[in-house]
Amino acid sequence: MIIDIVQLIVLILLGFCMFFGLGFILNMLLKTTWLPIYAYIIVVVGLVYWSWGAASLIENIKGYTLADYLPIVSGLVGAIMSGYTIKMLRVKGYKMF
């Protein structure tokens, strides 16, 4: 039980850091602020569609638990925070971003 909670916390932090880093690098290279969020949503929808079995879409979504939703939400928050970070750096005058 304790190990499952620790694994979930590590997965949440890893998802946030991974998508924050990927979004930050993508924002620096392509000079777009919100592209990582759109790409993340497309990837998540693709994964839900890929894992879709013979059941309906509603039954498939109901089959996920809180432990499945938390890493997805943390990755989305990481992608959003990377956009806000790049936007803030541009406002403060950093020309590289």
Side-chain angles (χ1 to χ4, degrees), residues 1-10:
M1 179 72 177
I2 299 294
I3 293 184
D4 293 335
I5 293 172
V6 171
Q7 288 177 348
L8 181 62
I9 291 170
V10 168

Side-chain angles (χ1 to χ4, degrees), residues 25-43:
I25 291 170
L26 193 62
N27 282 326
M28 276 195 316
L29 294 176
L30 298 179
K31 306 279 188 195
T32 61
T33 304
W34 305 115
L35 178 67
I37 297 170
Y38 301 135
Y40 182 78
I41 291 172
I42 289 170
V43 167

Side-chain angles (χ1 to χ4, degrees), residues 16-94:
F16 177 82
C17 292
M18 184 172 65
F19 286 105
F20 179 83
L22 288 173
F24 193 86
I25 291 170
L26 193 62
N27 282 326
M28 276 195 316
L29 294 176
L30 298 179
K31 306 279 188 195
T32 61
T33 304
W34 305 115
L35 178 67
I37 297 170
Y38 301 135
Y40 182 78
I41 291 172
I42 289 170
V43 167
V44 168
V45 168
L47 286 174
V48 168
Y49 181 75
W50 179 71
S51 68
W52 194 352
S56 69
L57 178 64
I58 301 299
E59 291 175 9
N60 187 26
I61 291 174
K62 284 182 183 177
Y64 294 126
T65 62
L66 183 64
D68 297 324
Y69 285 118
L70 286 177
I72 292 171
V73 170
S74 70
L76 181 62
V77 169
I80 291 169
M81 290 303 296
S82 71
Y84 280 121
T85 303
I86 288 289
K87 191 174 179 182
M88 182 183 64
L89 288 171
R90 287 181 187 146
V91 167
K92 292 193 179 211
Y94 289 94

